[in-house]
Structures are given as C-alpha cells and as structure tokens.
Amino acid sequence: MKNTFWKALGVLLLLYVFSMTLLVPLGPGLLEFQDKGKVQHSDIVGRSLPVYEVIGFGTHWDENSDSLGIFVKSKGQLAALEIFEITDETHALVGLDLPYSIPSKSWNVLVNHPIDGTLLLENALFLSDRFVDASIELPTPAVQEFGSNLPFHFPYQPQIVETIRNLMLHVPLWFTMFLLMGIGFVASIGQLSNNRNMEADMRAFASVRVGMWFGVLGLATGSFWARFTWGAWWVDDPQLNGALVTVLVYAGYLVLRNAVDDERLRARLAAVYNLFAFVILVILLMVLPRFSESLHPGKGGNPGFNSYDLDDALRMVFYPAVIGWMLLGTWMYLLTLRMTRINRKLDLLP
Amino acid sequence: MTSLLLEAHPLEGLFFGSGKAYVVLAVAAIILIGLGFWMWRAEARLKSMEKELKSTKNNTSS
C-alpha cells in the first residue's frame, strides 16, 4: 500500500500540473506601442497630436473604458496620453502630448484599468527628435490608480508570454535528471569502494539510463522554448551547449558499458567514468554559465525565475511539477533497476 | 517573435477560445495515465519474473 501510494501520488500530481498548466489563463500585459505615422486633432488641447496605438494582451479595455488611463513615464515624471479611440479590448489609439523639451528620450508606457490593474511596457517609446533637458518638470496628471481584479492567472512576461507554461515541463525535467545522475554518482562511489558487489553498478546503470531520457526531454523542451522566445531552435549559448555536452557525456557512459565484456572491469571503468561525468555535469550546467553572458535565465546576470518572475500562481504549479516528475523518475529508475537485476540473474544461470 | 505571432493570432483566442487546450489536456492525461498503468503492469510482470527466477534458482541449487 505504502509502495503504491507515492507512485500514484506522482501520477496524480502530474495530472494536476498538466491541468493547471494548460487551463490557467495568462494575466494581461502590453505587447506594443506603435507610432501610426499620422496626427489627429485633439479637442482637449485644441491642436493636432501624433497618434500611437497601444496593443495589449488579454486586456479588458472595452469594459469600464471611461476608467482606462494610459501614461508615459521617464525619470520619475508622468504624462497622460489622450485616448482617441478604444478599438477593442486589446487595442487603443492615443495622442501623445509632450513638449519639445523633455527629461529623457526613452519612455516607459503605463496602462491602468480597473480590471487589469497597472501594466508596464519598458522603453516602449523613443523620441529621437526632441531636446533633452533633465531639469524640466512636466505638470503632474491626476491619476486614479486601480489594482487588478482578475481570477487566478499566470503572470504575463514580455517575450515569454504564453510559453511560460513550458516552465512546468522544462525545469522539473532537468531537476529530475540531476536527481537521477546524483543517485548514479553515489552508486558509482559505492561500486568503487567494493567492486565485488555488482548491486551498486546496476544502480548506477539504471539511474543513468533513466536520467538520459529526462536529459533528452529537457533538451527538447528547451529547444522548443528557445524557438518561440529567442527565434531559433538552438543558439550558441554556454548553458545550452553545456546541457548538450552533458547529455553526450552520459551517452558515452552507456556506450562504454557496451564495449566491455568482463563484468567487474566494466563496473569499475563505468564507475570511474560516471564520477567524471557527474563532475562535468556540475561544472557545465551549474558553474561555467554563471561566469559567462547567457540568454538563459539565472545565468550571467540574467535573472532567474526564482528572483522575481516566479510568482505565487506559478509556484502553486511549479513545486508540485518538480515533486511529480521526480516521483515518476524514481519509479522508472526502480523498474529499470529490477529489470537489470533480472537480466543479470538470467545471464548467470547455467 | 512571440509578440508578433500573438498580435496576428492571439493564443488566448486560438488555444483557449477554440477549446484546443482541452484537447491537448485530454491527450496529455491519456498519455500520463497510460504510462502509469503500463508501469504498474510492468511492475507486476517483474514481480512474477523475480518469483519465477527465485524458484528456478532454488531448484537448480537443490
């Protein structure tokens, strides 16, 4: 009963993870702030203003549209934009009313709405034809700030957008691979301390064999993620190349085992190789990428999900995903180990 | 890249509005439950093989 419980728990946790991952909506965000290349007369200021289009994602601008506020902000100074037209729930045309002398050329766009709360698009507006005067003070607009009023949702992240759901696959798959390769590392140390007992060798073999699957799936999900966020299936990045080399090093472990017939020699050679493979894994995936520039989150000054991106909604799914995948991986490892034991016993039968 | 794609075909409409998210979830759930069931069956088969092997070993040694 106890033996079945944790296995069923692993499957149930993963069912919960898949349900949440695929069905929880993404929160609203801002996609673009585009210059429409035309002007429109403003009745409020009594002159023509350049027209810009604000494009949102998952926003609700057609509801409570009177309360929608769109602003630009730079160097702590805020300026309200005149809303000419709310085209639909995610599109609005606005007029930019800024003086010739401005505190900075680069501006953030802020949108405030009673349902969506405050949304930010950093460096969305660059005014190259204006004069910069850091001492200038713009008149402060009246702002009525609303908090968001949304159901349970995943946070919107620029560039990542809907692909943030892949977090529940990609990262836990690598964590499970680390766990399994760690089991293999400990087993290999055990094998080297007592080369007569083949149990440790079988443990190391089973863990690496299953861990390889998780490594390959980690690479595949990472490659898909890169395609939709960075625009390429593979980029020359220390983290990505390190992950590929690690998987290839472990593939070498499996090849090495098949190349040696003598059981004890094979166990000793494979154990030594496995120790080096694990050290390479730690260096290539955990140490080196932190000392070099990388597109990958958590490396080279590029913030990881754990710093500020992983909010409470993501945590509610991410942590069960890590536990679920690890339980499934452990179950697979135990099955492979039992199969390896049976194969060995069959080989030893007269 | 994703921003441009989303602007042209918002995933919220394409993926959720069309009900495709439920189809993907159903396929994922079938695969996961199938995998769990297959592993549970494999465990039962391994158990019987271990038993058989043990009795064969005992018979050989006696």
Side-chain angles (χ1 to χ4, degrees), chain A residues 45-99:
Chain A
V45 295
R47 57 189 162 83
S48 293
L49 298 176
V51 179
Y52 285 81
E53 186 176 32
V54 191
I55 304 171
F57 173 85
T59 49
H60 305 80
W61 296 339
D62 55 349
E63 297 173 45
N64 300 325
S65 51
D66 292 342
S67 304
L68 178 68
I70 302 178
F71 308 89
V72 284
K73 188 179 182 182
S74 185
K75 307 270 181 196
Q77 299 207 44
L78 200 65
L81 304 185
E82 186 180 339
I83 300 168
F84 286 136
E85 186 190 350
I86 296 171
T87 322
D88 58 30
E89 59 190 7
T90 55
H91 291 74
L93 292 174
V94 293
L96 182 70
D97 180 23
L98 282 177

Side-chain angles (χ1 to χ4, degrees), chain A residues 20-166:
Chain A
M20 296 292 277
T21 302
L22 291 167
L23 299 182
V24 170
L26 200 67
L30 296 177
L31 286 175
E32 296 271 345
F33 186 72
Q34 288 176 350
D35 185 355
K36 298 303 283 181
K38 60 180 184 182
V39 292
Q40 187 171 330
H41 183 77
S42 162
D43 294 332
I44 298 172
V45 295
R47 57 189 162 83
S48 293
L49 298 176
V51 179
Y52 285 81
E53 186 176 32
V54 191
I55 304 171
F57 173 85
T59 49
H60 305 80
W61 296 339
D62 55 349
E63 297 173 45
N64 300 325
S65 51
D66 292 342
S67 304
L68 178 68
I70 302 178
F71 308 89
V72 284
K73 188 179 182 182
S74 185
K75 307 270 181 196
Q77 299 207 44
L78 200 65
L81 304 185
E82 186 180 339
I83 300 168
F84 286 136
E85 186 190 350
I86 296 171
T87 322
D88 58 30
E89 59 190 7
T90 55
H91 291 74
L93 292 174
V94 293
L96 182 70
D97 180 23
L98 282 177
Y100 179 70
S101 295
I102 49 176
S104 167
K105 287 187 175 182
S106 179
W107 293 75
N108 299 331
V109 171
L110 289 155
V111 177
N112 190 245
H113 186 263
I115 298 174
D116 305 324
T118 302
L119 307 176
L120 168 73
L121 188 62
E122 286 186 337
N123 301 318
L125 174 66
F126 189 78
L127 298 166
S128 55
D129 56 346
R130 304 291 175 103
F131 177 72
V132 175
D133 179 0
S135 64
I136 203 155
E137 291 283 333
L138 298 177
T140 311
V143 181
Q144 190 192 355
E145 199 173 343
F146 302 102
S148 67
N149 181 20
L150 291 162
F152 187 74
H153 63 277
F154 288 148
Y156 171 92
Q157 293 286 338
Q159 296 298 318
I160 294 173
V161 201
E162 288 281 6
T163 64
I164 201 162
R165 297 168 197 284
N166 195 23

